[in-house]
Structure formats: C-alpha cells, structure tokens
Amino acid sequence: MHSIELIGDDAKLQLAELLRTNEGQTIRHIRGANVAHLATLFSLEIGRRIKGVSLLAELGLTDEELVSLRALDQLEDLTIGGRVIFESVPSGAFNSLERLCIYSNRLGNKGLRRIAQLPKLQELNTKNRDNRVTFEDLPEGAFKELQKLSTSENPLTEKGLKELAELPKLEQLDVSCCRVTFEDLSEGLFRRLQKLNASATSLTDSGLANLGSVPRLEELEIRGCRVTFEDLPEGAFRELRRLDFEHPEVLGYAGIVAIAMLPRLKQLDISDWNDVILEDLPEGAFGQLEKLNMSESGATYTQISNIANFPIL
C-alpha cells in the first residue's frame, strides 16, 4: 500500500509516474490531486485501487464537483476542504467511507445529517470554527458505527452533546473549545466512551459530576476548565487512568484529595498549577500513580518530598 502526493507544478509528472510504477498495487492515500487528475485516475484500472484521498482547500471543490467523481464512492478515507458542505450529496454516495475529515468549509446541520447516514463511517473530524454544526436533531440511526469524533471549535450545543452521548459505539470524543457545560447529561449516557477532551469548554462542577458516572471513561483532558473536583458522587471516575488538568484556576485542597483518591489513576498532568497543595494527603493517595507532570507548578521542597513517598511513582 502506498501514499502518493500529487501537488504543485510536477503533479502531471507525478501522475504519470504513479500510473507507471503502481500496477496491481493498492493506493492507500493520494494527497493534493485536483479534479482533473482524479478524473484521469478514476477512469483507469488503477482508480479502482485508490482507498484514500486528501483534497486541498485551495482547490475550492464544490458538492457538485465532488459528486461528479462517482468513483470516489469506493473510498474508505476522505479529507476535504474547499466549499464541500455535503448538502447536495445524494443518498448512496460514499457508502464505503470509514474516515472523513472536513476543514475550511461551512458545514451545517443539513450536510451533517447526510454524513450521519453513511453506513460504515467510524471516524469523523469537523474541527473548524467556520463549520456551523450543532449536532442537534440527528436522524434516527445516525452515526451507528461512529467510534471517534472531533467537534472542536464547532458551535456544539447542550442538546447536540446529549444526542452525541446516545451514539451506540462512540469511544473517543473531542469537544475542546466548544461552549458546553455537560450539565444536561443523565446517567447511562456515553456508554462506551473511553477518551474525552473537554479542554477550554464551559464545563462546570455539576457537569463534571455527570461525567464521573460515564462507566468506561479512562482518559480525560480538561485543560483550562474552572472545576474544583469537590462534592463528586461516590464511585465517580472509577475507571479513570489518565487526567490532564493543566492550569486549573479554582482547584483547592479538597479537590486535590478527590483526585488523589481515584482508584485507578496512573497518569496525571498538573503542570502550571500556581497554588498546588500536595501536603497532608490521606493514606493511599495516588496509590496507582505511575506518571506525574508538575512542570511550572511551583511545588515546594516539602511537596516534592511528599511525592517521593507515593507508592508506585
């Protein structure tokens, strides 16, 4: 399997070389090909062996131009910029897609609902502040195979987040830089979620408590969130193994104790903690911790000495 770039003034020569040297081989990914080059490729036998394409934003590709390349229906991996918003993509197109990344577009909910019906889609990245997707009012059976999703910088709403929490196979979610609090989540949602990035969101203590009930959550990033970790319900974050909480502004001693007593926590990033307090922790604190990042935390000698006594570190 090969990854090929068709970019710049040499693209035609690269295309000729591709046709000459890749007889019978699967082309894992082509990056930068324009519409004319793709049309040439897909008109030949080699076109049936292309599994992935990255189309640069500079090409300015539209929905209509994308649909005209019907051979793209065989693709498993598509990264696309330009003016594609999926609103004019007919049902049945791109039914082989497993991975889709959309950037430099203005994708809206109408196009998203079309994407949500792709039967084999496992990974989706809509990270871009220009995209306008809220993830509200998804169609029945939406994203039934989706395992990995990034909505970073999108105008995701609390209602949209709740709909994402109901996806049956979602394991990894990045909602960083979205204005969501997680306060409307109820127990039993995010049944298979293992990794969550909620950095630079509007996460509250109430929302954090809701996340504590996510049954399989192992990794949590909440950089820059104003949460205290106080008054968590019993058994919260019982499967959490990695916590990235860089630059917390309101964390106090009670919150540090709550983090220290998480039963499976192995990796903790507390860099840039100006008022870190790691003294007088209860017995058993950080009992499973294997990796600790305290850069720029301002820890005292006493605190460093205390860390040296953590059981596994």
Side-chain angles (χ1 to χ4, degrees):
M1 294 187 182
H2 292 267
S3 180
I4 309 294
E5 290 197 358
L6 299 177
I7 299 174
D9 296 336
D10 295 333
K12 289 183 179 180
L13 294 176
Q14 295 168 1
L15 176 59
E17 181 69 9
L18 172 64
L19 298 177
R20 185 182 69 82
T21 60
N22 286 275
E23 183 177 356
Q25 299 185 53
T26 297
I27 310 302
R28 183 70 259 170
H29 207 91
I30 289 180
R31 178 176 178 268
N34 63 26
V35 175
H37 294 150
L38 286 175
T40 299
L41 283 173
F42 287 130
S43 68
L44 303 172
E45 186 278 334
I46 192 175
R48 294 192 293 272
R49 295 186 268 111
I50 297 172
K51 298 301 181 183
V53 172
S54 293
L55 296 171
L56 303 182
E58 291 79 4
L59 300 177
L61 200 67
T62 65
D63 276 10
E64 290 72 20
E65 290 171 321
L66 185 67
V67 172
S68 72
L69 297 169
R70 291 307 302 268
L72 284 172
D73 291 351
Q74 72 197 31
L75 293 182
E76 298 173 359
D77 188 345
L78 176 61
T79 297
I80 193 161
R83 293 171 287 164
V84 173
I85 55 176
F86 272 85
E87 293 183 3
S88 302
V89 175
S91 178
F94 303 107
N95 278 353
S96 296
L97 270 187
E98 297 177 2
R99 292 168 294 278
L100 175 62
C101 176
I102 303 177
Y103 65 99
S104 297
N105 297 283
R106 293 187 66 83
L107 179 69
N109 284 337
K110 181 179 179 181
L112 182 71
R113 294 182 189 112
R114 174 65 193 90
I115 294 170
Q117 296 173 321
L118 296 176
K120 296 183 179 180
L121 192 64
Q122 298 176 23
E123 297 182 20
L124 175 62
N125 187 341
T126 63
K127 178 181 179 178
N128 193 296
R129 66 186 61 186
D130 292 328
N131 284 333
R132 299 171 292 177
V133 286
T134 66
F135 287 85
E136 295 182 2
D137 302 318
L138 295 176
E140 184 177 356
F143 297 121
K144 61 182 180 180
E145 297 296 328
L146 196 66
Q147 299 174 19
K148 184 177 180 180
L149 172 64
S150 174
T151 72
S152 181
E153 300 181 354
N154 295 167
L156 177 68
T157 63
E158 301 290 346
K159 180 181 178 183
L161 179 65
K162 193 169 184 179
E163 294 193 35
L164 294 181
E166 296 175 349
L167 298 183
K169 296 188 177 182
L170 189 63
E171 296 179 354
Q172 298 183 40
L173 177 62
D174 181 354
V175 296
S176 58
C177 302
C178 295
R179 296 180 179 179
V180 287
T181 66
F182 292 86
E183 291 181 354
D184 293 339
L185 295 182
S186 56
E187 193 169 351
L189 297 179
F190 285 128
R191 294 184 296 274
R192 298 185 63 170
L193 191 67
Q194 299 175 18
K195 183 176 180 179
L196 173 64
N197 185 351
S199 298
T201 63
S202 301
L203 179 67
T204 65
D205 280 335
S206 176
L208 184 69
N210 290 336
L211 289 177
S213 66
V214 176
R216 300 187 183 185
L217 189 61
E218 296 183 1
E219 298 186 30
L220 178 61
E221 295 183 35
I222 50 173
R223 296 185 175 200
C225 292
R226 295 179 61 84
V227 288
T228 67
F229 270 87
E230 298 178 12
D231 301 320
L232 289 177
E234 185 176 355
F237 298 112
R238 62 181 178 273
E239 297 297 328
L240 196 67
R241 285 149 169 83
R242 173 177 172 265
L243 175 62
D244 188 339
F245 195 13
E246 179 182 312
H247 195 59
E249 297 182 5
V250 294
L251 190 69
Y253 177 75
I256 293 173
V257 170
I259 293 172
M261 300 309 292
L262 294 177
R264 298 182 185 273
L265 189 66
K266 294 182 178 295
Q267 183 174 338
L268 176 63
D269 186 338
I270 53 175
S271 57
D272 200 18
W273 279 17
N274 293 325
D275 299 311
V276 64
I277 303 173
L278 292 176
E279 301 173 11
D280 301 320
L281 295 178
E283 184 177 353
F286 296 117
Q288 298 296 316
L289 198 65
E290 297 175 353
K291 185 176 181 179
L292 175 64
N293 182 5
M294 291 183 60
S295 60
E296 301 182 29
S297 65
T300 66
Y301 175 81
T302 302
Q303 292 163 353
I304 295 297
S305 300
N306 191 37
I307 293 170
N309 294 321
F310 290 168
I312 297 179
L313 193 65

